[in-house]
């Protein structure tokens, strides 16, 4: 096997991971914008009134809180599955 291909592989994997993270972030922002727009925007105008602005801030904060909660929960689930798998292989 070509040594150059082997050494480039980790760099390629890192690049793909970074690009995947960027894409996930962009999807999250798009989803958050769509949800908050639907919930908070009654009628578009030249500027936001204070009620609409507060609604957007609260919506974004709750969206971030919920996303973080879900990510933490998935991480815990994966860890418990890994622990269970390790326990099962010990027998």
């Amino acid at each position: 096997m070509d040594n150059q291909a082997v050494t480039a592989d980790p760099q390629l994997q890192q690049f793909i991971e970074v690009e995947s993270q960027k894409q996930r972030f962009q999807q999250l922002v798009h989803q958050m914008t769509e949800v908050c727009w639907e919930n908070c925007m009654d009628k578009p105008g030249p500027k936001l009134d204070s009620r609409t602005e507060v609604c957007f801030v609260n919506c974004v904060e709750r969206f971030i809180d919920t996303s973080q909660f879900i990510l933490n929960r998935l991480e815990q689930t994966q860890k418990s599955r890994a622990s269970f798998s390790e326990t099962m292989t010990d027998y």
Side-chain angles (χ1 to χ4, degrees), residues 64-80:
I64 291 169
D65 290 345
T66 302
S67 297
Q68 189 62 47
F69 174 79
I70 291 169
L71 287 173
N72 289 340
R73 188 74 167 173
L74 289 172
E75 188 177 285
Q76 289 173 354
T77 301
Q78 287 176 341
K79 285 180 182 178
S80 65

Side-chain angles (χ1 to χ4, degrees), residues 8-85:
D9 193 45
Q11 292 174 338
L12 179 60
Q13 289 176 346
Q14 177 68 21
F15 175 78
I16 291 171
E17 180 60 30
V18 168
E19 291 303 309
S20 295
Q21 288 175 355
K22 287 179 187 178
Q23 183 181 18
R24 286 190 299 268
F25 178 75
Q26 288 173 343
Q27 288 172 337
L28 186 64
V29 168
H30 177 73
Q31 184 181 8
M32 178 183 60
T33 302
E34 189 175 316
V35 166
C36 293
W37 184 269
E38 289 295 321
N39 286 332
C40 297
M41 197 58 157
D42 291 331
K43 51 186 174 221
K47 65 180 192 171
L48 296 178
D49 61 17
S50 62
R51 184 185 67 77
T52 304
E53 188 175 343
V54 168
C55 180
F56 272 115
V57 169
N58 288 333
C59 181
V60 169
E61 288 177 352
R62 295 304 68 78
F63 193 92
I64 291 169
D65 290 345
T66 302
S67 297
Q68 189 62 47
F69 174 79
I70 291 169
L71 287 173
N72 289 340
R73 188 74 167 173
L74 289 172
E75 188 177 285
Q76 289 173 354
T77 301
Q78 287 176 341
K79 285 180 182 178
S80 65
R81 284 185 181 166
S83 297
F84 180 75
S85 294

